[in-house]
């Protein structure tokens, strides 16, 4: 199954469902999170006039308190089946961090009480701090071991289990492809940044100073240079998707760290050296600002439009099948799509492949391949076509952007 097939199949289904014959209906997202709140005076440049109910696309001026976050997470349960619980995390909430900081892990004891679970609730898989989307939790060691063994097999198969959707501020040159490069974390002043590495040496790879990474992408819709892009990473590295998208000159909307690496001259984008380009608030074109009813001075409150939309789950221990758990993008994300004139795939769109998701172990299709390596940080960018093999949706590898690295 191609990377896009799962995503399209998911979007054609009723929200909050598990895709499988034995899947059960899931609880709706009933809480009013910060990204569902009506606009207040001063929150946005102009009132919205599209009949959407005034959903704000800006993040809060002040962080939510601990109790508000617990209520939000309790209401964000999208799947509960035995020892497995899945929630949809809002952007801006880190999974782990310093003991004194408010993180998802620090909220788990209180969340466990609310959900009637033991105090041993742990994170199996989750997106990074600034991303929204699915988080898998369990308080059962056997369940966690079952998942770990499944994802280990998936990792060996070297194909994705996670499907993200992102809004980008520029349209990729190719409608679909594969971004491949080495990535490395560096310390710059008081922050940790990720930079691409051209042709990493064996010693660097052996010492794990650099990791080879790969991401499949496909443009689902575009309008006036902005795009809705589907992403399936094949490796687990912090900020991989953000860095990969800058390499094809298509930064994610709300990326206030890596988007500064894409500059423009006479309207044409170009790549700036990663090591010498500091993070800064994303600079948006005037046309994009007008569509979003924002001023540049408000852009720092724009959340990252990167959402972990789907995760593959293993079947029963005795079963060779697997299921796909999904969560639609949050309201602020959908509101942005509406303002930019972007559309999710409709129910009428025919899937390119079957919705069946078998156990890992078979080959997958690979469309085009965009291989990106660095010179300063990007030395070469080439497009290479290769023949279709079989169903790429059958080998699935884990993605954990990450539970422990951020």
């Amino acid at each position: 199954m191609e990377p896009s097939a799962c995503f399209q199949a998911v979007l054609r289904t009723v929200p909050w469902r598990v895709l499988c014959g034995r899947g059960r209906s899931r609880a709706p997202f009933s809480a009013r999170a910060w990204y569902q709140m009506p606009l207040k005076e001063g929150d946005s440049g102009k009132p919205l006039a599209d009949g959407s109910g005034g959903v704000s696309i800006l993040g809060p001026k002040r962080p939510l308190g601990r109790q508000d976050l617990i209520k939000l997470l309790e209401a964000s349960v999208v799947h509960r089946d035995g020892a497995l619980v899945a929630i949809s995390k809002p952007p801006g909430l880190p999974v782990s961090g310093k003991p004194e900081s408010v993180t998802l892990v620090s909220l788990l004891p209180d969340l466990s009480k609310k959900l009637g679970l033991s105090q041993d609730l742990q994170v199996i898989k989750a997106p990074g701090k600034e991303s929204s989307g699915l988080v898998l939790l369990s308080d059962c060691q056997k369940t966690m071991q079952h998942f770990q063994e499944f994802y280990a097999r998936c990792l060996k198969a070297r194909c994705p289990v996670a499907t993200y959707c992102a809004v980008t501020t520029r349209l990729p040159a190719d409608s679909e492809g594969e971004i491949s490069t080495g990535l490395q974390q560096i310390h710059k002043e008081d922050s940790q940044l990720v930079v691409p590495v051209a042709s990493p040496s064996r010693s660097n790879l052996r010492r794990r100073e650099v990791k080879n990474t790969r991401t499949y992408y496909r443009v689902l819709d575009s309008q006036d240079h902005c795009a809705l892009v589907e992403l399936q990473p094949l490796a687990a590295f912090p900020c991989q998707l953000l860095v990969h998208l800058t390499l094809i000159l298509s930064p994610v909307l709300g990326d206030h760290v890596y988007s500064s690496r894409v500059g423009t001259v006479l309207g044409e984008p170009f790549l700036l050296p990663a090591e010498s380009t500091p993070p800064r608030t994303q600079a948006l074109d005037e046309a994009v600002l007008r569509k979003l009813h924002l001023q540049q001075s408000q852009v720092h409150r724009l959340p990252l439009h990167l959402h972990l939309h789907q995760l593959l789950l293993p079947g029963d221990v005795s079963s060779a099948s697997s299921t796909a758990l999904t969560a639609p993008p949050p309201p602020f994300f959908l509101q942005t799509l509406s303002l930019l004139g972007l559309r999710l795939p409709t129910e009428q769109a025919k899937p390119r492949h079957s919705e069946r998701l078998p156990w890992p172990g078979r080959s997958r299709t690979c469309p085009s391949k965009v291989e990106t390596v660095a010179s300063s940080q990007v030395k070469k960018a080439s497009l290479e076509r290769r023949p279709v093999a079989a169903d790429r949706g059958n080998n699935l590898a884990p993605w954990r952007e990450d539970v422990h690295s951020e």
Side-chain angles (χ1 to χ4, degrees):
M1 193 171 185
E2 267 192 22
S4 59
C6 292
F7 188 69
Q8 286 187 330
V10 166
L11 293 172
R12 294 185 300 103
T13 62
V14 177
W16 311 116
R17 291 185 25 180
V18 171
L19 292 183
C20 185
R22 62 178 183 278
R24 302 175 179 87
S25 297
R26 305 303 168 197
F29 199 135
S30 58
R32 287 166 59 83
W34 65 261
Y35 43 72
Q36 294 172 298
M37 296 297 183
L39 290 173
K40 296 180 181 178
E41 187 176 353
D43 277 0
S44 184
K46 298 179 182 179
L48 303 180
D50 58 336
S52 62
V55 175
S56 176
I57 64 171
L58 294 177
K61 293 181 179 179
R62 291 174 295 277
L64 292 180
R66 185 180 181 89
Q67 294 304 316
D68 290 333
L69 282 170
I70 292 171
K71 290 179 181 178
L72 171 60
L73 295 176
E74 181 187 7
S76 300
V77 174
V78 299
H79 172 81
R80 186 169 179 178
D81 190 2
L84 181 67
V85 176
I87 61 176
S88 187
K89 183 184 82 68
L93 177 64
V95 176
S96 59
K98 297 178 181 179
E100 65 275 11
S101 59
V102 177
T103 65
L104 177 62
V105 170
S106 72
L107 298 173
L108 288 183
D110 291 324
L111 182 61
S112 299
K113 291 180 182 178
K114 294 285 186 180
L115 299 178
L117 300 172
S118 73
Q119 295 297 298
D120 297 326
L121 195 63
Q122 297 180 47
V123 178
I124 299 174
K125 193 170 287 292
K129 173 185 175 180
E130 301 302 337
S131 303
S132 61
L134 285 167
V135 177
L136 301 184
L137 306 168
S138 180
D139 62 351
C140 173
Q141 289 300 320
K142 288 185 178 180
T143 297
M144 295 187 67
Q145 182 179 356
H146 180 44
F147 271 76
Q148 289 166 359
E149 290 173 353
F150 172 73
Y151 289 131
R153 283 191 288 268
C154 292
L155 180 61
K156 189 174 181 180
R158 298 291 299 166
C159 286
V161 293
T163 298
Y164 285 76
C165 53
V167 176
T168 63
T169 59
R170 291 189 179 275
L171 177 64
D174 297 287
S175 61
E176 60 183 314
E178 177 185 318
I179 308 164
S180 179
T181 187
L183 293 180
Q184 178 182 25
Q185 281 189 319
I186 62 170
H187 293 275
K188 195 172 182 67
E189 297 178 354
D190 295 330
S191 58
Q192 239 184 4
L193 298 175
V194 177
V195 297
V197 177
S199 304
S201 65
R202 291 184 180 179
S203 60
N204 286 340
L205 293 171
R206 186 171 56 253
R207 292 194 297 267
R208 297 185 180 181
E209 296 172 350
V210 180
K211 183 170 183 176
N212 285 323
T213 59
R214 183 171 299 170
T215 299
Y216 292 109
Y217 75 90
R218 181 170 183 261
V219 176
L220 298 177
D221 194 19
S222 62
Q223 190 71 238
D224 297 332
H225 304 296
C226 292
L228 173 63
V229 181
E230 163 202 292
L231 302 157
Q232 286 193 321
L234 291 177
F237 201 90
C239 303
Q240 173 179 329
L241 298 180
L242 300 181
V243 176
H244 278 188
L245 285 171
T246 62
L247 293 178
I248 59 172
L249 306 176
S250 303
V252 179
L253 182 65
D255 177 7
H256 305 303
V257 178
Y258 299 102
S259 63
S260 58
R261 297 178 182 178
V262 179
T264 56
V265 173
L266 299 177
E268 292 299 320
F270 68 95
L271 210 54
L272 293 165
E275 293 85 353
S276 59
T277 305
R280 62 173 170 79
T281 299
Q282 188 171 39
L284 297 178
D285 293 342
E286 286 297 327
V288 176
L289 289 172
R290 283 195 301 271
K291 285 190 172 186
L292 296 178
H293 306 302
L294 296 177
Q295 299 174 2
Q296 182 60 44
S297 61
Q298 297 171 305
V299 173
H300 70 281
R301 289 180 53 204
L302 200 61
L304 185 69
H305 284 60
L306 179 64
H307 178 73
L308 177 48
H309 184 75
Q310 175 181 284
L311 277 173
L312 194 74
L313 306 182
D316 299 329
V317 177
S318 59
S319 173
S321 65
S322 55
T323 63
L325 181 65
T326 71
F332 81 86
F333 193 111
L334 297 175
Q335 173 68 358
T336 296
L337 293 183
S338 176
L339 293 172
L340 294 176
L342 298 172
R343 296 182 180 180
L344 293 169
T346 62
E347 291 185 4
Q348 288 73 28
K350 292 183 179 180
R352 297 173 64 184
H353 294 276
S354 168
E355 295 181 18
R356 182 173 177 268
L357 293 169
W359 191 262
R362 303 178 187 174
S363 59
R364 283 173 60 100
T365 309
C366 181
S368 59
K369 176 182 179 182
V370 176
E371 187 174 292
T372 311
V373 264
S375 97
S376 295
Q377 89 270 36
V378 174
K379 196 189 241 181
K380 173 185 173 185
S382 63
L383 179 64
E384 174 187 331
R385 298 284 177 185
R386 68 184 185 187
V388 171
D391 186 5
R392 193 173 66 199
N394 298 338
N395 281 343
L396 299 162
W399 170 247
R400 196 172 169 182
E401 186 192 61
D402 195 349
V403 172
H404 298 297
S405 60
E406 286 194 342

